[in-house]
Amino acid sequence: MKSNFSRRKYIIGGFIALLVCIYIFRLFDLQVADNQYKENALSNAFLRRVIYPARGLIYDRNGRLLVFNQPAYDVMLIPKDVGKNLDTVALCEALNLTPQQLREKWAEMKDPRRNPGYSAYTPQKLISHLSQEDYGRLQEKLYLFPGFFVQKRTIREYNSPAAANILGNIREVNTKDIERDDYYRAGDYTGDLGVEKSYEKDLRGRKGVEILMKDALGRIKGKYEGGIHDEAPESGKNLTLSIDMDLQEYGERLMAGKIGAIVAIEPSTGEVLCLVTSPNYDPSMLIGKDRGKNYAALQRDPQKPLFDRAIQGAYPPGSTFKPTQGLIFLQEGVVTTATQYPCYHGYVNGLRVGCHGHASPIAIKPALQTSCNAYFCWGFKNMIDKKGTTSSKQFDKWKNYMVEMGYGYKLGLDLPGESRGFIPNSEFYSSSFRGANWSANSIISVSIGQGEVLATPLQIANLCATIANRGYYITPHVVKEIKGGKLDSIYSVRHRPEINRSYYDVVAEGMRMAVTGGTCRTANLPDIAVAGKTGTAQNPHGRDHSAFMGFAPYDNPRIAVCVYVENAGFGAAYGVPIGSLIIEKYLKGEISPARKGIEERMLNSNTIISSGVKKH
Amino acid sequence: MFRNLDWITIFLYLLLVGAGIISIYAASYDFDNAAILDFKEFSGKQFLWAGLGLLLGGVVLLLDYRLYEAYAYPIYGFVVFILLLTIFIAPDIKGSRSWIVIGGGLLSLQPAEFGKFATALALAKLFDSYNFNLNQKLTNYFRALMIIFIPIILILLQKETGSALVYVSLIFVLYREGMSGLVLFSVLCAVVYFVVAVKFADPLILGIPMGQFTVLLIICLIFCCMLLFYCKDMIIARNVIIGYAAAAALVAGLAAFGIDINGDIFFLTILAAGIVYTVIAMLKYKIGKFLVTIGFAVMSVIFLFSVNYVFDNILQPHQRQRIKVTLGIVEDLRGAGYNVNQSKIAIGSGGLAGKGFLNGTQTKLKYVPEQHTDFIFCTIGEEEGFVGASLVLIAFLALILRVIHVAERQRTPFGRVYGYCVVSYLIFHLSINVGMVLGLCPVIGIPLPLFSYGGSSLWGFTILLFILLRIDCGRKERRD
């Protein structure tokens, strides 16, 4: 009998051997073939607590602190670790919310459209910007709510209501930001507008991380391997702006009740001294809980305060364009300083461009002094209709000079959103005239800064700086220094248009004459030699735009300014007084008593009411 | 006598117990840790249990082997009495009344663990009785089953389902001693049918669930195979197989033309046809094996159709849930599936070579419940990786094969039957415990022998093994 069944030991032995083989195969599958469990284990046992660095501070050129940080507290949670029996009543009490609000916040957190990065295994933000008191109350009771923790972050605080267009602000990253740059995680902040955006990588610093171990109940069991894998955060770099905040604030006050811009540049360095746009807004509107609401309101505002007119507004430059024309004519040999053109109250040559009363015929310097339209029309005609070549070739030559002087393309200012203005080329006209022949007369208004040409106040100020420098400019920039970093080298390169320095002397002299005895006499300060050029730009919206560009002191310029006030009439009406006040304020620090009247008038005037524009 | 001891078994025993203590130390290691031998810690206590266990083993070895034969029934009777007593005097711990607390909580013992060797002794004694032959009389089966089922019932009454199920494994012993292999085969088929039928509820094939379709197909195949290999009747088998193939081709052809026949009707029809044909054909031959074959097919069909009823109406909701989670039908990471999921994560995170001793994060941070007892295998999987876990499994396999070898070399049915009882327990514990940790079996709370923390379990297995070693020594003494 025994021998009959002893074979069965092989079946029993074989059975267990087979089973062990199956188990080893399963082990291989779990441990070696499949990586999913390793990832699960990491999210299980480790809490990667991000330590946010302090964002860089922002100072003005005189060391005045403009933007700093304040703490803000976000309520975070890891959904997986939140127990089934969460005491929602106590939570509502601790957070100062109604149950309804809590439900909404919760739904919002889990909504895949509003929070695409939702995962039950990673920290999710329930509530942002908890107040200091709410934070204190929650912190005491946090132990009651497993899976919850408070993430400390910093948000911005501003020392002045001015310069929102330069400073920008910070906002929470959106899905696109996260896709573009894997540094960001949902709930992080990033710069929006202004230097906060353009210098984001310098300002944000580098996040640190602390790797903590947590047990099955979500309790922190200390640092992983004593913290050797932790990374300390690296603070953001501080910025020093080239902006003179006092001048900026003064400029904004002068522009109150007006629409337009002021740009002031230190010619020798290209540093922007002030960049005023009006109307503007208080940057502290865009921090904290109400950011979204306020931002939407600013977007809806018909006067478009978010639109930075100083760099985004493309305007007809009007007579501020004339110096560029003079420079081109001289360089091209179309005119010499002695060349005179007739002006019979305007340019009359088959068509008529009006002008005002002055001596005739007239040479270049007095033409600049009196802003004679006829002179520049004749010059333009003689250049474009030159014998032995075509209008197209001549016009493209002209266009190249304009581009060299900083028109038609973005200058490269270190702020986002700069407009390129508009300088047409010959193709543009060939297609506008549908192949028909065109000559100088067809486009004569270009010569006096009307018609198709458009420029930003920044480009006009940059031209003024080039003239002040007698022939070169440095790309304007608003950041003077990055502490512990290096400014982009493009902000130290001199750009020289292909125009002789002596011709710049001629144009500068003409502009000086305009101040001493021409269109800009309001700018004729007793102890500062100012040179300037007015502009009165016709436009289809309403009254003429009032423009001015000028620099001072004449021999050793320290400031070049452009003022552009929409629908405010003659250049001499607003442009010149505001420009001269900016110059005086910057160079003297205060306004002389004799000129207090002008200051008073500018501070209190409102051109919006009388602009002739019904809707902006 | 020590010359005659089976040192290979002792070596494997010490290896597994030692590895167990180290794993328990790792599993209960906290970051403000304590020494491995601190008697307040699990590892220190287990060390103490192991030391006392060895002492116990020594005592077992010193006693005369004939004592175990002589007192097998009294020992069994005593343990049964204790098991009965336990039901009444044991305190309620997590719903089970299986622990006897001695000396005001100083020592807790689980009598069910000691029932194992007592039952093994009694079973061995039964088979050793003069001229005992399992297949001779039906009462012999009845006596053997009674010895097995008395402790099962008592332990079930203590609400320790896992420990009770262990005794079912003694079916291996009955098999070894002559029980028809058909019983073992039936049990295997029942498990396969159940799993397949419950797990694959969809998609539908021929209007019936895929699981049911598959099981019916298997039943037909087994029917054919049994005709062929068991009844060894080539003609009948050939005719049935050809008939089935033709029927299958017909159905496939009809399906191609868009005419679907109900699967239940199809399979039942061809099975019935096959059975009727077999009945008619077999009238000319000897009947026994054909009857078995037909009976098997009929029982299979009945079983299949009752599975759904049992599953939906007889099983408790939590049992259904556990089965569903185990079969991967539902995923419930917070409830019944939590343990298994966490244990898979812990093991899976170990990788090829593991995270290193005491470097496991999942087990240290208490993600795996019961990690020093039933889920101790996780710690090995996480810290020692695929290599370490496989080595432990191989060590267990070596121990089991060695015990089979020792059992087979016994000259008396007593020694052999006792040895196979040990084999059965080890196989059951190993396969269920590791299967549960790997997510292949339902969660049944039984420890990994020699490894898991717990004095009763360790002592129970120590006594079990050392009695076998003592009997094995006796075999040689007898020869000398």
Side-chain angles (χ1 to χ4, degrees):
Chain A
M1 202 75 223
K2 211 186 286 178
S3 58
N4 275 355
F5 299 118
S6 66
R7 264 189 324 138
R8 291 187 169 183
K9 72 179 176 187
Y10 297 113
I11 293 181
I12 295 173
F15 170 78
I16 186 64
L18 179 70
L19 202 72
V20 166
C21 286
I22 292 172
Y23 284 180
I24 288 177
F25 184 77
R26 170 73 169 175
L27 273 174
F28 184 83
D29 184 39
L30 283 178
Q31 298 190 286
V32 184
D34 195 339
N35 264 327
Q36 178 209 337
Y37 294 104
K38 294 176 190 67
E39 284 159 24
N40 281 357
L42 287 182
S43 91
N44 237 350
F46 293 121
L47 179 66
R48 290 173 63 86
R49 180 174 284 171
V50 175
I51 311 169
Y52 285 88
R55 201 173 167 85
L57 307 180
I58 303 177
Y59 297 90
D60 87 338
R61 67 185 293 118
N62 302 318
R64 185 175 151 194
L65 180 62
L66 306 180
V67 185
F68 56 100
N69 298 313
Q70 63 178 1
Y73 304 93
D74 292 348
V75 180
M76 312 285 290
L77 58 93
I78 298 174
K80 175 180 76 81
D81 295 341
V82 176
K84 265 181 182 167
N85 36 12
L86 173 68
D87 187 347
T88 46
V89 179
L91 184 64
C92 284
E93 212 168 278
L95 290 174
N96 206 9
L97 292 175
T98 64
Q100 177 62 28
Q101 284 172 316
L102 181 67
R103 267 195 297 278
E104 278 166 15
K105 295 273 184 197
W106 203 279
E108 197 177 307
M109 177 185 79
K110 293 184 89 163
D111 185 343
R113 273 166 302 150
R114 304 181 73 166
N115 181 10
Y118 180 80
S119 156
Y121 287 87
T122 56
Q124 301 295 321
K125 188 168 73 181
L126 183 66
I127 294 165
S128 44
H129 302 315
L130 212 59
S131 72
Q132 189 81 40
E133 307 92 84
D134 284 349
Y135 165 68
R137 196 170 45 233
L138 177 66
Q139 190 66 19
E140 271 172 32
K141 293 189 180 164
L142 208 54
Y143 72 96
L144 289 174
F145 313 116
F148 280 74
F149 64 97
V150 172
Q151 177 83 62
K152 188 181 165 198
R153 295 174 192 271
T154 53
I155 56 175
R156 292 305 228 185
E157 185 127 5
Y158 300 89
N159 265 334
S160 160
N165 57 321
I166 303 164
L167 299 173
N169 55 82
I170 55 172
R171 61 167 168 81
E172 261 187 66
V173 291
N174 55 34
T175 332
K176 275 189 201 154
D177 297 318
I178 297 171
E179 277 168 17
R180 247 197 319 264
D181 186 345
D182 63 5
Y183 174 85
Y184 298 115
R185 295 286 173 271
D188 285 2
Y189 287 94
T190 185
D192 191 27
L193 310 173
V195 291
E196 296 274 20
K197 180 168 184 180
S198 50
Y199 288 89
E200 164 70 9
K201 285 196 171 145
D202 295 302
L203 286 168
R204 73 185 180 191
R206 211 188 44 178
K207 285 185 279 192
V209 68
E210 199 178 19
I211 303 175
L212 301 169
M213 291 186 294
K214 63 178 172 34
D215 68 7
L217 298 174
R219 292 175 304 207
I220 300 299
K221 302 296 274 188
K223 291 188 166 196
Y224 178 55
E225 296 194 350
I228 60 165
H229 302 285
D230 293 1
E231 284 171 34
E234 199 177 275
S235 293
K237 299 186 178 99
N238 294 349
L239 297 184
T240 301
L241 300 186
S242 62
I243 300 293
D244 181 325
M245 198 59 181
D246 297 333
L247 188 67
Q248 175 80 18
E249 284 168 349
Y250 185 63
E252 292 194 11
R253 276 166 57 212
L254 288 172
M255 288 300 287
K258 304 163 195 71
I259 294 176
I262 305 173
V263 180
I265 297 175
E266 184 175 76
S268 58
T269 57
E271 290 171 4
V272 177
L273 298 170
C274 76
L275 193 79
V276 176
T277 177
S278 179
N280 205 348
Y281 59 93
D282 184 343
S284 53
M285 284 171 77
L286 296 186
I287 51 175
K289 276 184 195 169
D290 297 328
R291 184 183 196 278
K293 202 176 65 190
N294 290 340
Y295 192 84
L298 288 172
Q299 272 182 319
R300 280 195 307 269
D301 190 328
Q303 294 191 344
K304 296 186 182 166
L306 289 172
F307 183 69
D308 186 351
R309 289 166 167 82
I311 62 171
Q312 294 177 308
Y315 296 105
S319 298
T320 63
F321 209 55
K322 285 173 181 164
T324 63
Q325 304 305 299
L327 288 166
I328 295 171
F329 303 159
L330 287 165
Q331 181 68 23
E332 278 294 297
V334 177
V335 299
T336 66
T337 49
T339 309
Q340 291 186 323
Y341 287 125
C343 177
Y344 311 110
H345 291 282
Y347 170 76
V348 187
N349 179 28
L351 68 131
R352 184 185 161 82
V353 179
C355 195
H356 26 267
H358 54 76
S360 174
I362 194 166
I364 185 161
K365 286 177 196 169
L368 284 167
Q369 179 185 16
T370 57
S371 197
C372 173
N373 287 342
Y375 180 90
F376 294 98
C377 291
W378 280 115
F380 189 71
K381 177 175 167 46
N382 288 342
M383 170 157 183
I384 299 299
D385 294 348
K386 190 178 172 185
K387 297 234 162 45
T389 180
T390 63
S391 303
S392 290
K393 276 187 185 160
Q394 283 300 99
F395 188 77
D396 283 338
K397 202 181 263 178
W398 176 88
K399 187 214 79 177
N400 289 340
Y401 280 115
M402 292 311 302
V403 170
E404 280 181 7
M405 284 188 273
Y407 286 79
Y409 288 93
K410 292 179 181 184
L411 274 170
L413 182 77
D414 48 353
L415 287 178
E418 196 191 338
S419 159
R420 55 185 286 192
F422 187 64
I423 297 293
N425 57 17
S426 60
E427 273 168 48
F428 174 83
Y429 285 119
S430 297
S431 71
S432 336
F433 292 110
R434 300 175 188 216
N437 279 337
W438 52 274
S439 63
N441 269 1
S442 325
I443 56 172
I444 198 74
S445 53
V446 164
S447 64
I448 55 169
Q450 297 286 156
E452 289 74 26
V453 292
L454 297 172
T456 64
L458 179 71
Q459 286 170 328
I460 300 171
N462 185 59
L463 169 73
C464 189
T466 315
I467 297 168
N469 286 336
R470 312 299 199 267
Y472 72 88
Y473 72 89
I474 292 170
T475 305
H477 48 284
V478 297
V479 171
K480 189 180 161 76
E481 191 188 356
I482 305 167
K483 283 271 157 57
K486 206 169 166 294
L487 208 58
D488 196 326
S489 59
I490 65 163
Y491 298 124
S492 53
V493 176
R494 290 183 176 192
H495 298 271
R496 290 181 185 278
E498 295 281 319
I499 292 167
N500 289 348
R501 190 195 150 98
S502 59
Y503 300 142
Y504 276 100
D505 289 331
V506 172
V507 169
E509 209 180 319
M511 285 170 67
R512 175 65 185 144
M513 285 157 66
V515 171
T516 52
T519 51
C520 312
R521 266 165 300 200
T522 316
N524 195 9
L525 305 176
D527 42 4
I528 305 167
V530 177
K533 183 75 202 75
T534 53
T536 306
Q538 293 167 359
N539 66 87
H541 305 292
R543 289 179 68 191
D544 291 347
H545 296 322
S546 172
F548 168 74
M549 71 169 187
F551 62 89
Y554 180 69
D555 291 321
N556 181 24
R558 287 172 54 210
I559 179 168
V561 67
C562 165
V563 178
Y564 205 102
V565 188
E566 289 183 25
N567 309 111
F570 289 114
Y574 286 92
V576 179
I578 291 174
S580 66
L581 286 168
I582 289 286
I583 290 170
E584 188 178 6
K585 174 81 176 173
Y586 180 67
L587 294 177
K588 290 278 165 192
E590 57 184 6
I591 305 303
S592 65
R595 286 166 51 80
K596 282 285 181 195
I598 300 172
E599 185 187 32
E600 200 70 12
R601 207 175 71 236
M602 286 302 120
L603 286 172
N604 297 325
S605 58
N606 188 321
T607 63
I608 298 176
I609 305 163
S610 57
S611 64
V613 178
K614 294 208 174 61
K615 266 190 280 178
H616 282 273
Chain B
M1 184 195 100
F2 287 100
R3 219 159 24 92
N4 293 333
L5 262 181
D6 190 59
W7 287 102
I8 294 177
T9 309
I10 293 187
F11 167 75
L12 289 167
Y13 167 84
L14 291 175
L15 183 76
L16 289 168
V17 170
I21 293 173
I22 291 169
S23 301
I24 291 164
Y25 174 64
S28 52
Y29 175 89
D30 207 336
F31 290 98
D32 36 16
N33 73 34
I36 191 166
L37 296 183
D38 187 330
F39 293 126
K40 289 191 206 85
E41 294 297 317
F42 289 126
S43 56
K45 282 190 191 165
Q46 184 75 353
F47 194 78
L48 191 67
W49 300 144
L52 293 171
L54 271 181
L55 217 62
L56 211 60
V59 173
V60 167
L61 287 180
L62 287 176
L63 293 175
D64 191 332
Y65 70 95
R66 279 172 290 248
L67 223 56
Y68 303 115
E69 277 186 59
Y71 290 101
Y73 285 139
I75 291 173
Y76 178 75
F78 177 72
V79 171
V80 165
F81 172 71
I82 296 290
L83 284 173
L84 186 66
L85 195 67
T86 309
I87 302 172
F88 299 104
I89 65 164
D92 193 325
I93 299 171
K94 288 185 202 161
S96 104
R97 294 181 173 275
S98 61
W99 293 88
I100 294 183
V101 182
I102 300 167
L106 197 69
L107 188 64
S108 304
L109 287 177
Q110 199 170 21
E113 294 295 339
F114 301 96
K116 283 178 191 150
F117 83 87
T119 308
L121 282 174
L123 207 59
K125 178 80 177 172
L126 175 71
F127 278 87
D128 200 39
S129 44
Y130 181 70
N131 232 356
F132 182 88
N133 181 347
L134 193 59
N135 290 325
Q136 204 172 36
K137 291 186 289 190
L138 211 55
T139 50
N140 284 351
Y141 269 109
F142 180 72
R143 284 157 74 188
L145 288 177
M146 204 173 74
I147 289 175
I148 296 172
F149 273 91
I150 287 174
I152 290 185
I153 290 163
L154 292 177
I155 296 170
L156 278 178
L157 288 173
Q158 297 171 4
K159 302 214 164 50
E160 270 292 316
T161 321
S163 300
L165 284 176
V166 173
Y167 292 85
V168 176
S169 68
L170 293 174
I171 194 168
F172 283 117
V173 179
L174 301 186
Y175 172 70
R176 170 63 186 84
E177 291 306 310
M179 183 188 73
S180 167
L182 211 56
V183 179
L184 218 54
F185 184 66
S186 304
V187 171
L188 180 71
C189 286
V191 171
V192 170
Y193 293 171
F194 183 83
V195 170
V196 173
V198 170
K199 177 154 186 171
F200 302 104
D202 39 38
L204 296 181
I205 297 180
L206 292 181
I208 57 172
M210 195 174 97
Q212 189 154 341
F213 178 88
T214 312
V215 173
L216 284 166
L217 194 67
I218 293 172
I219 292 171
C220 288
L221 286 176
I222 289 175
F223 181 62
C224 295
C225 289
M226 281 177 77
L227 285 176
L228 197 61
F229 300 113
Y230 181 67
C231 305
K232 293 192 170 68
D233 190 312
M234 294 305 164
I235 296 158
I236 294 178
R238 187 197 64 198
N239 292 346
V240 169
I241 291 171
I242 291 171
Y244 283 5
L250 183 69
V251 169
L254 284 174
F257 286 103
I259 305 163
D260 275 355
I261 290 180
N262 181 281
D264 281 342
I265 294 171
F266 168 71
F267 280 112
L268 293 181
T269 310
I270 65 167
L271 260 182
I275 288 167
V276 169
Y277 168 74
T278 308
V279 168
I280 296 166
M282 78 183 185
L283 290 176
K284 301 179 215 161
Y285 306 99
K286 51 179 181 169
I287 290 169
K289 290 192 172 176
F290 288 105
L291 275 182
V292 170
T293 305
I294 291 166
F296 193 85
V298 171
M299 291 306 289
S300 295
V301 171
I302 293 170
F303 178 79
L304 172 64
F305 283 96
S306 58
V307 159
N308 286 333
Y309 177 79
V310 170
F311 191 74
D312 292 335
N313 300 311
I314 295 182
L315 289 183
Q316 301 287 317
H318 73 271
Q319 289 169 324
R320 270 206 296 276
Q321 183 69 5
R322 275 190 180 183
I323 290 169
K324 280 182 174 174
V325 168
T326 304
L327 296 181
I329 300 168
V330 294
E331 201 170 341
D332 176 16
L333 300 184
R334 288 214 173 265
Y338 177 81
N339 293 13
V340 174
N341 186 49
Q342 290 298 341
S343 117
K344 282 197 288 190
I345 289 176
I347 289 180
S349 71
L352 185 66
K355 297 177 183 171
F357 183 56
L358 298 184
N359 284 334
T361 53
Q362 302 303 299
T363 45
K364 297 292 163 313
L365 296 168
K366 318 264 184 278
Y367 280 92
V368 185
E370 306 290 336
Q371 54 194 326
H372 56 282
T373 58
D374 296 349
F375 282 85
I376 189 72
F377 195 68
C378 288
T379 310
I380 300 156
E382 190 186 9
E383 298 195 344
E384 315 307 331
F386 173 69
V387 175
S390 302
L391 283 177
V392 168
L393 284 180
I394 288 167
F396 268 110
L397 179 62
L399 178 68
I400 291 169
L401 293 180
R402 184 68 196 174
V403 174
I404 290 177
H405 176 75
V406 169
E408 283 292 339
R409 75 183 176 197
Q410 301 307 311
R411 291 172 180 178
T412 60
F414 183 83
R416 190 177 64 242
V417 169
Y418 183 84
Y420 268 99
C421 286
V422 179
V423 170
S424 306
Y425 293 142
L426 285 174
I427 288 178
F428 189 84
H429 272 267
L430 181 71
S431 55
I432 295 296
N433 180 279
V434 177
M436 151 183 101
V437 170
L438 295 179
L440 294 173
C441 303
V443 176
I444 296 170
I446 58 170
L448 188 60
L450 310 180
F451 237 88
S452 289
Y453 173 77
S456 298
S457 165
L458 182 59
W459 288 358
F461 275 103
T462 303
I463 295 170
L464 198 63
L465 262 180
F466 278 76
I467 289 178
L468 177 67
L469 292 177
R470 182 70 195 95
I471 294 169
D472 186 46
C473 280
R475 161 190 69 95
K476 292 200 174 162
E477 274 166 33
R478 233 179 259 190
R479 191 171 53 185
D480 290 344

